[in-house]
Amino acid sequence: MKMLINVPETVVADALRGMAAAHPELTVDVENRVVVRRDAPVAGKVGLVSGGGSGHEPLHAGFVGPGMLSAACPGEVFTSPVPDQMVRAAAAVDSGAGVLFVVKNYTGDVLNFEMAAELAEDEGIQVAQVVVDDDVAVSDSTFTAGRRGTGATLFVEKIAGAAADEGAPLDRVVSVARQVNGSSRSFGVALSAVTTPAKGSPTFDLPAGELELGIGIHGEPGRERRPMMTSGEIADFAVDAVLEDLRPTGPVLALVNGMGATPLLELYGFNAEVHRVLGERGVPVARTLVGNYVTSLDMAGCSVTLCQIDEELLRLWDAPVETPALRWGR
């Protein structure tokens, strides 16, 4: 497999050096693998820290900046960051108002963030945690106990980040984050397998002419494998899987997310089908975001995330944000 890298051992460090060169508004500690908004800590502001294995870019480091995360901790590819990274990040963004850890529900992430919270509190930093578990495809998987954390992570980080930037206290920021997670559901589809730099070949076998329904962002198996379907058929299946579990009674935010190797031409076409299905099911869409945001390296495919929102959550979603990967209103 051809990859635009030097050697697998330095791929994360090389990417962080490139991020530092491209984004002087961030403080990028390449050696300790912590990315922090340059103005942190902000007086009176709750700090938001997230992280996870690399390979899902722009999640999480691409979401560091005003209106979203205060800091992010990238681990090795598809491997959790370590507690020391998280403690460094918490210390860098703590203004005395407390820190919220946003954690995707993968076993390594959950355990390491829990340990980091204990270590940070030993240093006098007040820490709360919210675990994102939005994936409806399977209840348990290779990497998780319970549902996987996927696309709703973006919704949680954006909306809770807006609340924190407005000066909301820690308990309010936690409440908002939990509300968003509880109101969000996701479903993903793989059209091709993922290739990690260390392996250099696909991590699972997905024959030509087949797709995997309900795939995870590390290539974990989903609900079933089927012959290739049209965009409209995939939208019917994915959206119905989300709606069956979410059962929204009002408007939703919609994220049509690429898994890394799917071009925008296809994603926008798929988004048209997602909107068709939601219209047929009587679900109004308040806002839509289309693009590669929560990815799986070079996997072709997509995911759909819906979040039922109220006026307050929509206001926080629309609030200004300025990060490498998401920006509006400034």
Side-chain angles (χ1 to χ4, degrees):
M1 299 293 292
K2 296 178 181 178
M3 293 185 176
L4 196 64
I5 64 173
N6 293 315
V7 293
E9 292 77 13
T10 66
V11 65
V12 176
D14 291 345
L16 289 174
R17 288 191 298 106
M19 188 173 206
H23 296 286
E25 72 276 14
L26 302 177
T27 299
V28 181
D29 183 339
V30 177
E31 181 179 356
N32 294 301
R33 300 196 178 180
V34 177
V35 179
V36 183
R37 52 185 280 185
R38 189 168 288 279
D39 61 351
V42 178
K45 176 189 174 304
V46 170
L48 253 70
V49 174
S50 193
S54 296
H56 305 303
E57 288 76 22
L59 189 81
H60 294 272
F63 297 145
V64 175
M68 214 161 174
L69 292 178
S70 306
C73 310
E76 290 295 332
V77 172
F78 292 178
T79 302
S80 171
V82 297
D84 283 354
Q85 290 173 261
M86 303 160 188
V87 175
R88 286 180 182 272
V93 304
D94 179 41
S95 68
V99 174
L100 172 62
F101 285 166
V102 178
V103 188
K104 299 190 305 301
N105 189 34
Y106 294 95
T107 302
D109 290 0
V110 171
L111 292 175
N112 285 348
F113 270 102
E114 285 179 350
M115 186 179 300
E118 293 176 3
L119 294 171
E121 287 177 348
D122 287 344
E123 296 185 8
I125 302 171
Q126 183 184 6
V127 176
Q129 300 182 70
V130 171
V131 176
V132 182
D133 56 355
D134 54 305
D135 184 11
V136 302
V138 293
S139 58
D140 295 288
S141 74
T142 312
F143 293 86
T144 64
R147 290 177 167 174
R148 302 175 290 216
T150 57
T153 312
L154 183 154
F155 288 159
V156 171
E157 291 175 355
K158 169 63 185 77
I159 293 173
D165 264 31
E166 290 182 352
L170 181 59
D171 59 350
R172 172 59 181 159
V173 177
V174 170
S175 175
V176 167
R178 287 179 176 159
Q179 180 184 353
V180 173
N181 179 62
S183 302
S184 299
R185 302 289 187 276
S186 297
F187 191 91
V189 179
L191 308 183
S192 72
V194 59
T195 301
T196 63
K199 190 169 187 294
S201 60
T203 56
F204 63 94
D205 178 44
L206 185 57
E210 295 187 1
L211 54 73
E212 183 92 17
L213 295 166
I215 198 75
I217 59 175
H218 306 96
E220 310 98 304
R223 287 187 179 181
E224 60 181 287
R225 189 167 290 185
R226 287 190 182 184
M228 187 60 193
M229 301 157 65
T230 67
S231 177
E233 290 167 341
I234 295 171
D236 281 320
F237 193 101
V239 174
D240 281 345
V242 170
L243 294 180
E244 181 180 351
D245 195 286
L246 183 60
R247 300 185 183 279
T249 57
V252 298
L253 297 175
L255 169 63
V256 172
N257 173 68
M259 300 303 292
T262 303
L264 279 171
L265 180 70
E266 295 177 33
L267 289 177
Y268 277 117
F270 182 65
N271 181 57
E273 297 297 336
V274 168
H275 275 249
R276 172 188 59 78
V277 178
L278 291 170
E280 291 172 355
R281 306 299 187 267
V283 179
V285 180
R287 301 286 187 275
T288 305
L289 186 64
V290 179
N292 289 285
Y293 293 102
V294 183
T295 64
S296 184
L297 289 170
D298 64 342
M299 182 187 287
C302 60
S303 62
V304 178
T305 304
L306 302 179
C307 174
Q308 179 169 312
I309 49 94
D310 54 25
E311 289 185 4
E312 176 63 4
L313 293 187
L314 184 59
R315 184 187 69 79
L316 292 170
W317 174 258
D318 287 340
V321 59
E322 188 172 359
T323 72
L326 207 67
R327 55 181 64 209
W328 59 68
R330 282 179 175 266

